[in-house]
Amino acid sequence: MAGEPAADPRKRRRLMAVALVAVAAVAAVVLAVILAGAPWAGPQTAQPTESQASSTSPPSASPVPTPSESQPTEPQPTESGPSALETPGESTAPAPVAPGPTPPPETLPAPQDPPPAAPFPLGLAGKDVEVVPGAGKSVALTFDAGANSAALPSILQTLAGAGIRGTFFLTGSWAAANPAGVAAIVAGGHRVGNHSQNHPDFTGLPDAGIGDQVRGAEQAIMAAGADPRPLFRFPFGARDARTIAAVNGLGYVPVRWSVDTLGWKGTSGGVTAQQVADRALSALQPGEIVLMHIGSNPDDGSTLDADALPQMIERMRQAGYGFVTLDSLVAE
């Protein structure tokens, strides 16, 4: 039996094309099904390259945040920001800055003159006061210091024992030489006055010289720890209208005395302690100002005022008198 004739080549090519088309169709359907089940990611945006990021953003040691990290979160504290423990809504003032080094102290100003003392009553201007007006039955015991201080311990002890305060007129030279004496006077609660720098006769001085004497004593007395203002006593009691006006112009009221005990004359001058006390009592009057001295007689070394003081105080008290300092003279 003879074999069948061979298939037409054109027929085979058509069959192959049909098969390929069928396979392609099946593949397209399968691909469409696969793609339909995949999530939509949206268009992708270009990410900056490493070189671009470094040129447009500050370097950071932290990794690039993921989308979940970029969601809003609580503010994180920074080195200069508020603490992470702050309560929401509280003020977020900047943290205090630590103080820097303490600057060096400024240069101190030059020493200034002492403040002026309270002015004395105008009614005392032009006067060298001899009694304390309005003092009643009171006596002012006053002591001049210009030589030595031999009688000072005894005088201070007597006054302290009697509970009496006196007024001490000091020269500047005495105050500078006896700072311990000034301190003892002040510690006893006594008043201090100005008795010039070195005890000259003021009537023989020009106004400028008077200023030097008064201001020099003031500075020396204040340096020793006392304030003499505004009480002044003329050396030797020598004064006139010009010198009184000059002293007033320096802020002082001159204070003389009602009686001089003459105890400074000493035993060599024919004076006794009894005579000293008698002189003080013979001039007894309201507001009496008694002049005594704390130095010893240069010839015989006697201290008659200190010796007579206990008897003097006792007899004045028996007469019904008390005692005041010269602050009562200038009190307003």
Side-chain angles (χ1 to χ4, degrees):
M1 174 179 207
E4 295 181 357
D8 187 356
R10 288 179 293 179
K11 185 178 181 179
R12 289 197 299 269
R13 287 196 294 269
R14 283 195 299 268
L15 291 175
M16 291 179 64
V18 172
L20 290 174
V21 170
V23 171
V26 172
V29 172
V30 172
L31 179 61
V33 172
I34 294 174
L35 293 178
W40 172 254
Q44 299 296 313
T45 57
Q47 299 295 324
T49 64
E50 183 177 349
S51 60
Q52 290 174 330
S54 62
S55 62
T56 60
S57 305
S60 173
S62 303
V64 178
T66 64
S68 62
E69 291 172 339
S70 63
Q71 297 301 316
T73 59
E74 291 293 330
Q76 299 300 311
T78 63
E79 185 173 346
S80 61
S83 168
L85 298 179
E86 286 183 345
T87 303
E90 290 185 352
S91 174
T92 55
V97 179
T102 303
E106 297 181 1
T107 303
L108 295 176
Q112 301 296 316
D113 291 335
F120 57 84
L122 293 179
L124 298 179
K127 298 179 180 179
D128 190 13
V129 181
E130 297 182 359
V131 296
V132 180
K137 296 187 69 172
S138 297
V139 175
L141 301 178
T142 70
F143 307 85
D144 285 3
N148 60 54
S149 58
L152 182 60
S154 174
I155 291 171
L156 291 178
Q157 182 177 5
T158 298
L159 293 176
I164 295 173
R165 294 179 179 178
T167 303
F168 291 76
F169 286 94
L170 314 179
T171 65
S173 59
W174 188 93
N178 297 275
V182 177
I185 291 170
V186 173
H190 306 291
R191 187 64 162 89
V192 171
N194 187 324
H195 196 35
S196 81
Q197 176 60 23
N198 51 25
H199 210 269
D201 183 335
F202 270 41
T203 60
L205 296 177
D207 288 353
I210 292 174
D212 291 342
Q213 283 289 323
V214 174
R215 291 299 185 218
E218 178 181 291
Q219 293 172 7
I221 294 169
M222 294 186 76
D227 189 344
R229 301 169 298 173
L231 303 175
F232 178 81
R233 176 167 282 167
F234 284 105
F236 310 109
R239 83 281 195 227
D240 53 26
R242 179 186 68 87
T243 55
I244 291 174
V247 169
N248 286 162
L250 294 168
Y252 286 85
V253 54
V255 183
R256 195 173 174 80
W257 51 84
S258 308
V259 59
D260 179 352
T261 64
L262 301 181
W264 55 270
K265 287 187 174 183
T267 55
S268 59
V271 179
T272 66
Q274 184 64 47
Q275 291 174 328
V276 166
D278 289 344
R279 281 184 61 85
L281 268 294
S282 66
L284 190 60
Q285 59 179 303
E288 178 186 20
I289 301 173
V290 181
L291 168 63
M292 292 173 278
H293 293 77
I294 67 171
S296 61
N297 182 280
D299 298 323
D300 56 47
S302 61
T303 57
L304 298 182
D305 284 328
D307 298 342
L309 187 58
Q311 176 192 166
M312 187 188 306
I313 292 172
E314 181 180 3
R315 291 171 63 185
M316 286 178 173
R317 279 180 165 164
Q318 289 174 349
Y321 278 76
F323 300 89
V324 295
T325 69
L326 290 181
D327 275 334
S328 60
L329 176 69
V330 296
E332 296 183 355

